[in-house]
Amino acid sequence: RHYILDLMRVTPRDSNYIGLQHRFCVLRPELVASFVEAESIKKSPTEKVPDAPTESNGQEPDDIASGSDATAASVEEHDKSDETPVSTPAESNDMTAEILFNPNVFTEYKLAGSPEEIEVDEALVKKVGSYLLDTVIPKFVQDLCSLDVSPMDGQTLTDVLHSNGINVRYLGKVAGMIKHLPHLWDLFSAEIIVRSAKHVVKDILRQSPDHNIAPAVAHFLNCFFGKVLAASSKGSTGSPQSKTQKKSSESASSKKGQSAFSQLTSDGVWSDIKEFAKHKYQFEAPDDVRVGTKRVAVLRNLCQKV
């Protein structure tokens, strides 16, 4: 017997990404738990514990002992006579500090309830989004700067982000706050480039037939790490070699079942990667990103993700 679990709306939508193009952007459970804990701490009353008495008010030790015994006996009798359960302040705080989210806000579904209730639900979800931007991400950046958190590669970086309740789509925002740290900047920029390249190569593979998967991957890697020019720009137009290449390219293009990956160039691939990084992660890739990438580490990370 098989079951299907719809986990998309277990947590509410991310109020920082609203719209049909962001319909899959939800908050992480770690962030929701952190927000609920922070709100409970704010609402819980501060209780002062009285200090222990340091003076005996001039009483003798025997008098103090006899007085304490009498007090203990009276308290014990009072406890036995009173059997009515009394709720502690901690239990009452747990009951009143319960925070419930509506996972249907900021969606295309029609919400039930009065406009006032819907407004309250939306305000609560917006408050979580503000908590992420104003508290969680700055605290995470502070931990990175103080070396309390030291991710070594893309996988550990992803794990650390998730453990702090930060979605991967905020990589660009975090990267913009640690530009003054070269080792972290290289790590974040490489992770964004790899994730953007993953989507580009997957689009290429979807458009390629099964028997052209290997040539498509090889050509993409050549464009990604090398310098592949357009077919028309190779060689001079008047040389016999260029004419031969033109004839061969025309005959190849006329073949049935040729895939579009053969028209890819390095400039086109990197343009798509930069465009996707800007759209998905709000990250402006520098011009020297092609030169500054560590090829072995990037290739390993890309193979693990694809």
Side-chain angles (χ1 to χ4, degrees), residues 9-13 99-107 110-113 117-122 124-125:
R9 287 153 66 190
V10 172
T11 56
R13 289 282 299 272
I99 300 177
L100 300 178
F101 296 95
N102 187 353
N104 296 322
V105 296
F106 301 117
T107 61
K110 185 178 180 180
L111 301 179
E117 294 175 348
I118 296 175
E119 185 178 357
V120 171
D121 292 340
E122 291 180 351
L124 183 60
V125 175

Side-chain angles (χ1 to χ4, degrees), residues 23-54:
R23 61 183 179 275
F24 298 118
C25 296
V26 296
L27 299 175
R28 292 198 59 83
E30 296 88 348
L31 176 66
V32 175
S34 176
F35 174 78
V36 171
E37 182 179 359
E39 290 296 313
S40 300
I41 293 175
K42 289 180 182 179
K43 294 180 180 179
S44 61
T46 57
E47 298 180 358
K48 294 184 179 180
V49 179
D51 297 334
T54 56

